[in-house]
């Protein structure tokens, strides 16, 4: 039977590669995967630091029983150009940083110790997508995703495709296509079972195998619940292969749903759904791409539950399998695309890109969350021959999903099923020579030349970079731009939806960003701390789940040019908002439906109000949000904010000791009403003791109202103490733990806020 286990420990890392590494174990640094070859500072660094060769070594001990089996190593992802050697023989090369690869070790193994050497070249090789031009993100070198060791019988199931051809029919049919490997397949039996979430068998079938491809069908299924964003029903296909007393098994998760872009919009399970999404880069401060399962899942959770998005675009490459698995589980749609950014390379490059199409689709075609394949290089020019091939291949490998190609050129050639456009028109009226008024989005007909379906895949971004510590006027304008585009997309039945640029700030090359190697384009900063614009998305969610009330202000008279806080945008999903300033009686305001007629939840905008003149007393304010005439949320802003307490919170309480795992912590200095102080720049020192270590530097400064960091597991079980020292407060500590494995309930418990006792320093 099949054994698959993580192979992330026991690797030796070298900041170089030579022939010697290929043939013998060389003393080096012991590391755990996922691993980042070179950790970077937060900003102002030279990215050339990781653009060189590295090497990982591992010794695999084999006994005769193991040699009797098929032994594979599965790499979920390594950046960017990998060569793999076993006992000195080169057995594989993989020239992509985002798709997985399987290394079949069996023919090269001997009893005893076997040396596995992985050479990684982190340079931007112009033969490998996305390289060859400039790219607006970094491609951090290293084996930055998990590695798995798989042992199977010599006959085994290598690939499975599950297809529901008529998903909305009452009696459903599910086809299963399997690829099998091995010499003993003739006459083998393959049993397939569909199991529900309680592992109960919903349907089963059995066939005799007569070659490397096997196919079976379930028909007349009347008890399959559809997968949907609000009810992400998943099933498991359990396959078992029997070959003369031996066998293999494989479990694949899947869901049944109908998803189609039409000229009238996007249709999920027969009903129209306006897409409201964000683009996501998979990078983090310091460690680049090398974050484990929990952080991947957490980004999906933020998108779905905190920002109330229904879709994420995995710009500009296939994301971590952990991320996609979680999108399936929580009901977050995904637009997944091949690696690339504006540039199309030569013939080798194109062949590699076609292999990326294949690898992406083979890896991910059973995920119900994935609704669209991006098979055009992001923002590239037309290339009839190349894109004919990418589209043909995608349709061959997956007849159930549409293709798209993200472009920035109007009326370019459409070989895909969906015309997707990065529409950065908003803000272009400010560019020299522009002679037009403010436009939120171009009209679909102007962009496509009349080739629906249509979706906007990026907006905002570099048109209005906004740092978490930027001033209030800039934050308000940032917010306004998101509101305007979303409103326009909601109002146009020919726009399937829009996907903002982007979820979180990201490190980038010197050609982009603010000179600090950061594109401050996120609605969150790099630490996933929200800017005001995050509340634009959050406020589009159902108030019954989470009422939102976010005034876009620091509430100070002298922050904006000319003074005052008007016009004041209040991002909310409440029916009405009551404002009280000082002792004056409250005044109620309704959402601004005149300005934002199409948004699910329009913001309140207060344009007039007498809060006192320059030179007069400045008063505190409070806001109450009402839904169905009941007060559901209340917030206060102090007129005289004073650093009153320090809050240290952790996203979870327990690390998993035995794997690469990390927890984010956020420190805030708050005023007497609990609001974080945006312009406080005090330093802080972090001290971690016990079973965890700190990711990044131990000395930080508050910026934009917070300081955040991650701690990671060290492999040891035990208590963790996180201590934070600041100049104005007595030190605060938080106790967490590293455990063997998390109970399911514990693992789901997010944002375990611990507010330790804190006192100002004497
Ligand atoms: C787009 C590009 C994105 C990002 C964005 C910034 O042109 O597709 O990757 O660079 O601009 O606004």
């Amino acid at each position: 039977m099949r054994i698959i286990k993580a192979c992330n420990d026991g690797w030796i890392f070298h900041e170089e590669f030579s022939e010697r590494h290929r043939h013998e174990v060389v003393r080096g640094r012991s590391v755990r995967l996922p691993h980042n070859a070179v950790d970077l500072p937060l900003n102002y660094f030279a990215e050339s630091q990781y653009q060189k060769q590295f090497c990982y070594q591992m010794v695999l001990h084999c006994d005769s029983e193991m040699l009797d089996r098929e032994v594979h190593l599965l790499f979920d992802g390594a950046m960017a150009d990998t060569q793999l050697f076993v006992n000195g023989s080169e057995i594989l090369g993989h020239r992509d940083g985002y798709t997985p690869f399987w290394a079949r070790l069996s023919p090269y193994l001997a009893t005893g110790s076997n040396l596995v050497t992985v050479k990684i070249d982190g340079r931007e090789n112009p033969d490998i997508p996305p390289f060859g031009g400039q790219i607006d993100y970094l491609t951090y070198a290293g084996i930055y995703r998990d590695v798995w060791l798989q042992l199977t019988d010599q006959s085994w199931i290598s690939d499975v495709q599950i297809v529901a051809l008529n998903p909305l029919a009452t009696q459903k049919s599910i086809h299963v296509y399997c690829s099998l490997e091995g010499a003993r397949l003739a006459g083998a039996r393959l049993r397939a079972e569909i199991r529900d979430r309680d592992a109960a068998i919903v349907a089963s079938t059995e066939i005799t195998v007569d070659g490397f491809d096997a196919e079976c069908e379930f028909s007349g299924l009347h008890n399959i619940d559809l997968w949907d964003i609000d009810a992400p029903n998943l099933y498991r296909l359990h396959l078992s292969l029997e070959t003369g007393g031996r066998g293999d098994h494989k479990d694949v998760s899947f869901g049944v749903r109908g998803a189609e872009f039409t000229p009238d919009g996007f249709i999920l399970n027969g009903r129209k759904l306006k897409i409201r999404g964000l683009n996501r880069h998979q990078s983090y401060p310091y460690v680049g791409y090398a974050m484990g399962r929990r952080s991947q899942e957490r980004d999906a959770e933020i998108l779905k539950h905190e920002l109330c998005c229904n879709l994420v675009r995995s710009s500009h490459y296939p994301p971590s399998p952990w991320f996609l698995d979680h999108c399936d589980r929580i009901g977050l749609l995904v637009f997944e695309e091949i690696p690339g950014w504006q540039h199309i390379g030569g013939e080798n490059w194109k062949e590699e890109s076609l292999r990326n199409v294949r690898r992406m689709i083979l890896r991910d075609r059973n995920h119900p969350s994935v609704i669209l394949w991006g098979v055009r290089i992001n923002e590239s020019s037309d290339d009839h021959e190349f894109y004919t091939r990418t589209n043909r291949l995608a349709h061959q490998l997956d007849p159930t999903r549409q293709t798209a190609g993200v472009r920035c050129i109007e009326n370019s050639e459409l070989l895909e099923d969906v015309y997707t456009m990065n529409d950065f028109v908003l803000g272009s009226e400010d560019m020299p020579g522009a002679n037009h008024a403010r436009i939120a989005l171009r009209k679909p007909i102007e962009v496509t030349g009349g080739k629906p379906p249509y979706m906007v895949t990026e907006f905002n971004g570099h048109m209005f970079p906004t740092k978490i510590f930027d001033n209030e006027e800039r934050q308000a304008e940032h917010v306004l731009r998101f509101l305007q585009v979303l409103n326009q997309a909601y109002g146009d039945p020919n726009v399937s939806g829009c996907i903002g640029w982007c979820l979180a700030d990201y490190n980038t090359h010197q050609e982009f960003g603010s000179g600090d190697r950061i594109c401050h384009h996120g609605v969150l900063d790099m630490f996933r701390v929200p800017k005001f614009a995050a509340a634009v998305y959050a406020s589009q969610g159902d108030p019954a789940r989470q009422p939102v009330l976010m005034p876009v202000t620091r509430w100070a008279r002298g922050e904006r040019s000319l003074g005052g806080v008007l016009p004041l945008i209040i991002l909310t999903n409440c029916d009405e908002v009551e404002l009280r300033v000082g002792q004056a009686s409250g005044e109620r305001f309704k959402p601004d439906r005149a300005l934002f007629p199409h948004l699910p939840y329009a913001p309140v905008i207060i344009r007039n109000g007498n809060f006192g003149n320059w030179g007069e007393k400045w008063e505190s304010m409070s806001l109450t949000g009402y839904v169905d005439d009941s007060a559901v949320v209340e917030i206060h802003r102090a007129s005289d904010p004073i650093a009153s307490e320090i809050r240290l919170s952790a996203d979870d309480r327990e690390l998993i000791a035995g794997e690469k795992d990390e927890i984010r912590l956020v420190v805030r200095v708050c005023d007497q009403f609990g609001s974080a102080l945006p312009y406080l720049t005090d330093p802080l020192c972090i001290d971690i003791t016990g079973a965890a270590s700190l990711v990044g530097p131990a000395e930080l400064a508050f910026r934009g109202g917070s300081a955040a960091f991650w701690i990671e597991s060290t492999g040891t079980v035990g208590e963790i103490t996180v201590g934070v020292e600041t100049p104005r407060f007595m030190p605060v500590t938080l106790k967490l733990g590293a455990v063997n494995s998390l109970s399911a309930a514990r693992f789901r418990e997010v944002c375990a806020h611990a507010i330790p006792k804190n006192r100002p320093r004497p």
Side-chain angles (χ1 to χ4, degrees):
M1 276 294 164
R2 174 181 296 230
I3 298 172
I4 182 151
K5 55 182 183 187
C7 187
N8 291 327
D9 285 317
W11 292 87
I12 306 164
F13 174 66
H14 307 279
E15 295 213 12
E16 57 172 346
F17 172 80
S18 70
E19 275 302 294
R20 202 175 145 219
H21 295 97
R22 182 172 168 165
H23 298 284
E24 61 185 270
V25 182
V26 180
R27 189 189 289 266
R29 183 149 52 96
S30 179
V31 297
R32 166 180 277 185
L33 309 181
H35 180 254
N36 187 36
V38 179
D39 285 355
L40 296 170
L42 180 65
N43 50 22
Y44 295 107
F45 49 74
E47 60 271 31
S48 52
Q49 290 173 47
Y50 66 76
Q51 292 179 10
K52 52 182 191 167
Q53 295 183 346
F54 304 93
C55 166
Y56 294 82
Q57 295 186 303
M58 193 252 301
V59 175
L60 189 64
H61 296 283
C62 294
D63 54 21
S64 56
E65 197 191 324
M66 198 160 152
L67 292 185
D68 195 31
R69 313 193 77 186
E70 279 293 321
V71 182
H72 281 90
L73 275 185
L74 165 62
F75 290 75
D76 278 346
M79 183 64 75
D81 183 1
T82 306
Q83 278 171 284
L84 196 136
F85 308 90
V86 177
N87 295 327
S89 306
E90 178 172 352
I91 69 162
L92 172 142
H94 184 79
R95 309 194 101 192
D96 173 55
Y98 300 100
T99 50
F101 52 96
W102 288 93
R104 180 170 176 249
L105 306 189
S106 314
Y108 309 91
L109 296 176
T111 316
S113 302
N114 295 273
L115 175 63
V116 177
T117 301
V118 183
K119 174 187 165 195
I120 295 278
D121 195 331
R123 286 174 294 187
E124 299 194 356
N125 179 342
D127 272 346
I128 304 179
F131 308 125
Q134 311 298 335
I135 47 171
D136 174 19
Y137 48 98
L138 299 185
T139 53
Y140 313 81
I143 307 182
Y144 74 89
R145 288 184 185 158
D146 298 81
V147 174
W148 305 90
L149 177 69
Q150 178 183 282
L151 306 181
T152 59
D153 180 31
Q154 281 159 8
S155 299
W156 58 290
I157 307 161
S158 56
D159 185 45
V160 181
Q161 181 181 17
I162 303 163
V163 178
L165 277 180
N166 197 355
L168 304 189
T170 336
Q171 307 264 330
K172 302 191 198 324
S173 298
I174 293 177
H175 291 256
V176 178
Y177 304 94
C178 299
S179 302
L180 308 173
E181 310 276 336
R184 287 199 290 260
L185 287 172
R189 301 284 296 164
L190 181 71
R191 183 174 163 78
E193 290 169 355
I194 296 178
R195 295 182 181 177
D196 67 15
R197 75 162 76 79
D198 303 318
I201 298 176
V202 175
S204 66
T205 183
E206 199 167 321
I207 57 163
T208 302
V209 170
D210 66 355
F212 294 111
D213 298 315
E215 192 180 325
C216 55
E217 185 189 340
F218 298 90
S219 54
L221 299 173
H222 54 85
N223 47 356
I224 298 280
D225 295 323
L226 291 175
W227 182 95
D228 208 311
I229 51 170
D230 298 322
N233 291 305
L234 290 173
Y235 292 84
R236 293 195 84 77
L237 178 75
H238 179 78
L239 289 166
S240 39
L241 178 71
E242 269 208 27
T243 50
R246 296 202 181 192
D248 187 29
H249 69 265
K250 193 170 168 73
D251 268 297
V252 183
S253 163
F254 73 100
V256 177
R257 67 357 160 229
E260 194 188 359
F261 288 83
T262 74
D264 297 327
F266 174 65
I267 312 289
L268 183 67
N269 294 331
R271 73 170 202 288
K272 210 164 159 174
L273 177 74
K274 189 67 87 168
I275 284 174
R276 185 172 73 232
L278 284 164
N279 285 274
R280 173 193 184 239
H281 267 306
Q282 60 174 6
S283 55
Y284 292 82
Y286 320 120
V287 297
Y289 286 167
M291 287 291 244
R293 171 179 182 172
R294 187 197 302 258
S295 298
Q296 307 297 331
E297 294 185 349
R298 175 122 181 91
D299 266 8
E301 301 254 342
I302 292 172
L303 282 155
K304 168 89 184 178
H305 297 307
E306 295 180 17
L307 302 177
C308 303
C309 289
N310 51 31
L311 179 138
V312 57
R313 173 173 169 230
S314 71
S315 49
H316 301 291
Y317 36 76
S320 156
W322 294 124
F323 181 78
L324 280 189
D325 286 349
H326 209 55
C327 291
D328 284 352
R329 276 194 290 270
I330 64 177
L332 179 65
L333 303 170
V334 182
F335 171 16
E336 186 176 2
E337 69 186 353
I338 50 171
W341 204 85
Q342 292 194 344
H343 166 80
I344 303 176
E347 281 317 306
N348 290 343
W349 192 103
K350 288 183 185 171
E351 289 305 321
E352 204 57 62
S353 184
L354 278 154
R355 283 192 276 275
N356 285 338
V357 173
R358 174 179 295 280
R359 296 185 286 232
M360 169 179 80
I361 296 180
L362 289 187
R363 189 191 74 167
D364 293 332
R365 60 188 172 180
N366 294 320
H367 285 281
S369 58
V370 176
I371 54 159
L372 196 58
W373 300 123
V375 296
R376 183 178 167 122
I377 301 304
N378 172 63
E379 294 192 336
S380 56
S381 44
D382 285 345
D383 186 326
H384 181 82
E385 197 261 344
F386 178 42
Y387 291 135
T388 302
R389 290 178 71 197
T390 59
N391 275 283
R392 194 189 307 128
L393 180 58
H395 287 131
Q396 257 168 21
L397 295 170
D398 180 7
T400 70
R401 280 183 188 80
Q402 291 167 306
T403 59
V406 172
R407 58 202 74 219
C408 58
I409 305 165
E410 287 180 7
N411 210 355
S412 46
E413 188 185 23
L414 182 68
L415 296 163
E416 296 81 27
D417 304 310
V418 186
Y419 199 111
T420 53
M421 175 79 173
N422 292 346
D423 189 347
F424 288 104
V425 70
L426 180 59
S428 64
E429 74 281 359
D430 296 336
M431 286 157 104
N435 181 22
H436 62 84
R438 199 166 231 233
I439 306 167
L441 285 174
R442 293 169 166 96
K443 290 202 169 51
I445 184 84
E446 284 166 20
V447 179
T448 68
K451 293 172 252 170
Y454 181 67
M455 176 164 66
V456 175
T457 33
E458 291 182 31
F459 62 91
N460 257 357
H462 64 287
M463 300 306 280
F464 206 76
T466 303
K467 303 175 188 71
I468 196 164
F469 45 86
D470 269 340
N471 67 41
E472 178 171 319
E473 281 157 294
R474 194 166 185 94
Q475 303 285 350
E477 175 62 18
H478 194 219
V479 156
L480 210 53
R481 288 174 184 229
F482 275 101
L483 287 169
Q484 284 177 336
V485 173
L486 283 171
N487 178 65
Q488 179 78 21
Y490 269 100
D492 190 336
N494 298 315
V495 177
S496 300
C498 63
I499 310 171
W501 190 266
C502 58
L503 173 66
D505 296 348
Y506 53 96
N507 284 131
T508 189
H509 285 294
Q510 63 182 64
E511 285 75 18
F512 307 90
S514 297
D516 54 356
R517 299 291 202 285
I518 298 178
C519 272
H520 298 265
H521 297 174
V523 299
L524 315 177
D525 74 1
M526 281 174 70
F527 297 89
R528 279 50 176 172
V529 174
K531 303 176 190 173
F532 283 105
V536 172
Y537 282 87
S539 64
Q540 300 312 307
D542 184 354
R545 206 187 64 80
Q546 180 67 57
V548 174
L549 191 55
M550 176 57 76
V552 184
T553 180
R554 315 287 196 199
W555 197 252
R557 182 177 280 144
E559 156 71 355
R560 295 191 186 190
S561 315
L562 308 182
V565 293
L566 299 177
L568 174 59
I569 305 170
I570 301 169
L571 298 162
T572 187
N573 48 9
C574 296
D575 303 336
E576 252 187 327
V577 170
E578 186 174 81
L579 168 76
R580 284 179 308 282
V581 178
Q583 298 307 314
S585 53
E587 194 180 345
R588 289 205 184 188
F589 297 86
K590 296 246 185 235
D592 193 336
R593 282 264 155 235
L595 204 55
F596 300 104
H598 309 298
L599 282 176
Y601 297 97
V604 166
I605 302 187
I606 301 176
R607 294 185 175 77
N608 304 302
N610 183 9
F611 307 142
N613 292 321
W614 191 247
E616 291 177 358
K617 192 167 167 45
W618 180 245
E619 305 270 16
S620 296
M621 74 97 149
S622 57
L623 287 173
T624 310
Y626 290 86
V627 175
D628 294 335
D629 232 16
S630 302
V632 292
V633 53
E634 184 160 304
I635 57 137
H636 304 274
R637 292 288 180 266
S639 60
D640 59 339
I642 290 167
S644 305
E645 61 168 338
I646 184 163
R647 294 184 176 194
L648 169 61
S649 66
D651 288 347
D652 215 327
R653 288 179 198 278
E654 289 174 346
L655 274 176
I656 308 174
E659 59 191 63
K660 163 92 178 156
D661 191 24
E662 56 281 319
I663 291 180
R664 187 194 63 154
L665 291 103
V666 182
V667 195
R668 291 189 171 90
V669 173
C670 297
D671 68 13
Q672 51 277 46
F673 288 157
S675 300
L677 298 171
Y679 299 136
L680 184 114
T681 52
D682 284 1
L684 66 157
C685 288
I686 304 155
D687 181 38
I688 312 292
T689 51
S693 60
L694 179 65
V695 176
E699 283 95 33
L700 297 175
F702 289 98
R703 56 202 277 284
S706 70
F709 56 93
W710 280 266
I711 57 167
E712 65 180 359
S713 47
T714 52
T716 332
V717 170
E719 199 174 81
I720 303 162
T721 306
V722 180
V724 173
E725 259 207 73
T726 53
R728 303 197 205 191
F729 296 93
M730 295 301 287
V732 287
T733 54
L734 192 55
K735 296 270 186 212
L736 306 172
V739 296
N740 273 326
S741 66
L742 294 185
S743 67
R746 208 79 176 98
F747 193 65
R748 288 293 103 239
E749 186 188 313
V750 284
C751 293
H753 292 285
I755 305 170
K757 288 261 166 294
N758 61 83
R759 285 168 284 129
R761 276 190 194 278

